[in-house]
Amino acid sequence: MAAVARRPVRGEAVALRAARAVRRIVSGSAAREVAALTRTAEVLQQPVTTGRQIAVTSIRGGAGKTTVTALLGTTYAHYRQDPVLLVEADPALGSLPLRLGAEALRWTTADLADIAVPQMSLLDVTGYLVQLPDNAWLLPGSQGRIGAMVDTVTYERVMVALRRYFGVTVVDCETLPAEVARVALSAAQARVIAAPATLDGVTSTYSVLQWLRALPAHVIEGTVVALSVTTPRPGIDVDAAAERLASAGARVHVLPYDRHLAAGGPLRTELLARPARLAATRLAAEVFELSQKRR
C-alpha cells in the first residue's frame, strides 16, 4: 500500500517555522525552553526497579490512541537507555505497525503468549519482536490480516512474561469498554485516554473519567488525557475543553494540530512541528512520572 501514500509532509509550513523561530529569538524564550527540556529529559531518564506498563485507550475508534501510543513509545526509546516495548492489544487490524513503519510482521501477541517462558533471555525474546530505532521493539496484534482477537488470558500472559525485560512498555489497547482495555487499565502503572478535540470526543471522554472516579483513587490519579487537535481550526474551545476534562480529576495535555500527524502513515519525529514535538515530550514525561508512583 506504500504506492498510494503521498510524500511525508512536515508538521507545519516553512513560513510558520520561520516566524516561530523569530519570535523565540525576539522574546528570549530559547534559554527557558532549553532549561525546561533538560528537566523533562531528566524525568524521562529516571531508572526503574521494575518495568513500567502504560496503557493507552479511548472511548471510540479514530480518537488518536494509536498515534499517542507511537508518540509515547518513540519518545521513551529516544531518551532511555533500557529497552522499550510497544504492544498492540487492539483487535485484529490495528494500525500501530503502520504508524511505526514496520516493514515485516512475523510473530503476534497471541503467538508469543504460547512461547514465552521465564527461562528466556532478552535476546531470545527480541527474536520474536519487530526491531525499531533507538532500542525500541514492537509486538503486533496481527500479521496484517483479520485473525483471532486478543483475549484477557492471552494479554495477561504476555504482559507478565515480558515485563521484566523492558524498562517501559506502552500498550495500544482496545477501545473502552472492551474487556482487554479494562484489564490493561487496571494492571498498568499509568493510563492515557486519547480524546479528539471535538464536542462528542470531549463529552464521551468526560463520561469515561467519571466512571474512573468510581474506581480506587489511584486509577484516576494515574490517568492522563491526551487531547488531540486534528484540524487547523477545531470546532470547540480547546482550552475550555481541557479545563472541563481536568475538573474530573485527570491530568490533561493538549497535542496541537500537526500536518504530519494528521496525514497518518509512518511517524517520523524529525518531521513534527516543534509545538507537537514538545507537547509529546511533556506528555511522555508526566505519564512516566505518574507510573513511578505506582508499584
Side-chain angles (χ1 to χ4, degrees):
M1 298 298 291
V4 306
R6 293 181 182 272
R7 182 179 178 182
V9 295
R10 287 191 173 273
E12 60 184 0
V14 174
L16 287 176
R17 295 202 303 275
R20 193 182 303 281
V22 170
R23 286 198 299 270
R24 289 176 63 240
I25 295 172
V26 172
S27 66
S29 64
R32 292 193 299 273
E33 190 174 286
V34 169
L37 280 173
T38 300
R39 291 192 295 271
T40 301
E42 290 173 352
V43 171
L44 290 167
Q45 292 167 352
Q46 289 178 10
V48 296
T49 54
T50 58
R52 303 289 88 188
Q53 294 182 4
I54 296 165
V56 183
T57 189
S58 63
I59 191 62
R60 60 176 175 80
K65 69 178 179 63
T66 299
T67 297
V68 170
T69 301
L71 286 170
L72 290 175
T74 53
T75 300
Y76 294 133
H78 175 74
Y79 282 96
R80 299 189 61 78
Q81 296 299 315
D82 47 12
V84 172
L85 176 64
L86 294 97
V87 175
E88 187 175 46
D90 209 352
L93 289 177
S95 58
L96 186 59
L98 172 63
R99 262 313 202 187
L100 294 171
E103 296 182 358
L105 306 176
R106 292 177 54 214
W107 303 91
T108 68
T109 305
D111 295 331
L112 196 55
D114 296 328
I115 296 170
V117 293
Q119 296 84 358
M120 295 176 74
S121 67
L122 175 61
L123 184 61
D124 294 330
V125 169
T126 54
Y128 296 101
L129 306 176
V130 178
Q131 187 169 10
L132 302 170
D134 292 327
N135 205 23
W137 303 85
L138 166 68
L139 179 58
S142 73
Q143 295 174 324
R145 55 181 179 268
I146 295 175
M149 293 173 60
V150 177
D151 57 27
T152 56
V153 174
T154 299
Y155 176 79
E156 290 176 332
R157 191 184 306 158
V158 165
M159 298 306 288
V160 169
L162 297 183
R163 178 173 177 174
R164 68 188 181 94
Y165 301 103
F166 299 92
V168 180
T169 299
V170 187
V171 185
D172 184 9
C173 300
E174 294 177 280
T175 55
L176 290 167
E179 188 175 6
V180 171
R182 296 171 69 172
V183 169
L185 291 180
S186 176
Q189 283 81 35
R191 289 148 291 280
V192 180
I193 308 296
T198 61
L199 182 58
D200 60 327
V202 172
T203 301
S204 57
T205 301
Y206 184 80
S207 298
V208 171
L209 296 178
Q210 293 296 327
W211 167 64
L212 292 179
R213 289 184 67 174
L215 301 177
H218 73 268
V219 177
I220 191 70
E221 291 170 358
T223 298
V224 178
V225 176
L227 185 60
S228 299
V229 181
T230 56
T231 60
R233 295 184 178 180
I236 62 170
D237 184 329
V238 176
D239 292 335
E243 289 181 11
R244 179 61 173 164
L245 292 172
S247 70
R251 319 288 180 91
V252 181
H253 281 257
V254 176
L255 295 176
Y257 173 72
D258 183 279
R259 295 191 308 178
H260 179 62
L261 290 179
L267 172 64
R268 292 175 53 183
T269 53
E270 73 274 13
L271 295 181
L272 292 176
R274 189 175 187 83
R277 188 164 59 249
L278 293 177
T281 305
R282 289 191 292 265
L283 170 66
E286 176 144 36
V287 173
F288 178 74
E289 199 165 31
L290 289 176
S291 76
Q292 289 280 60
K293 297 178 180 179
R294 182 72 181 169
R295 297 298 176 188

